[in-house]
Amino acid sequence: MKEMLTTLLNSIGLAHWVKIISDEPQCTYYFGPFLTVDEAHTAQAGYIEDITGEGARVVKVETMRCKPHTLTIYDETQEIKNLTLSAYGG
């Protein structure tokens, strides 16, 4: 029953999601959906641990009601800048 309610709330954009923004690499991650904000807060520590365990630096964490269309958004322009700088010795 809980899963059905979470799915329903997610379909109309009212489920809770954990949004984590990292730097190095510059990414935005969405984790969810959750039925309540408390469930999202409880789960976020594990997501932060996973992301930092992969070497990323978390710069912002927030819980919000939304309906993300993409779960991981990677800033490819930062990678291009880094490749350009390394090609020119920067």
Side-chain angles (χ1 to χ4, degrees), residues 20-31:
I20 300 176
I21 299 173
S22 71
D23 194 7
E24 300 173 25
Q26 291 182 341
C27 289
T28 301
Y29 305 91
Y30 289 92
F31 297 97

Side-chain angles (χ1 to χ4, degrees), residues 33-48:
F34 298 96
L35 184 59
T36 68
V37 70
D38 289 338
E39 287 178 359
H41 283 154
T42 299
Q44 78 184 19
Y47 299 132
I48 293 168

Side-chain angles (χ1 to χ4, degrees), residues 30-89:
Y30 289 92
F31 297 97
F34 298 96
L35 184 59
T36 68
V37 70
D38 289 338
E39 287 178 359
H41 283 154
T42 299
Q44 78 184 19
Y47 299 132
I48 293 168
E49 184 178 327
D50 289 346
I51 291 170
T52 56
E54 293 177 8
R57 185 172 62 104
V58 173
V59 294
K60 186 175 183 180
V61 179
E62 60 184 300
T63 303
M64 57 181 27
R65 283 185 158 163
C66 64
K67 186 178 178 184
H69 296 285
T70 304
L71 299 182
T72 302
I73 303 167
Y74 178 70
D75 184 2
E76 293 176 11
T77 60
Q78 185 63 37
E79 184 175 311
I80 292 168
K81 288 177 192 174
N82 290 342
L83 289 174
T84 302
L85 287 175
S86 65
Y88 291 102

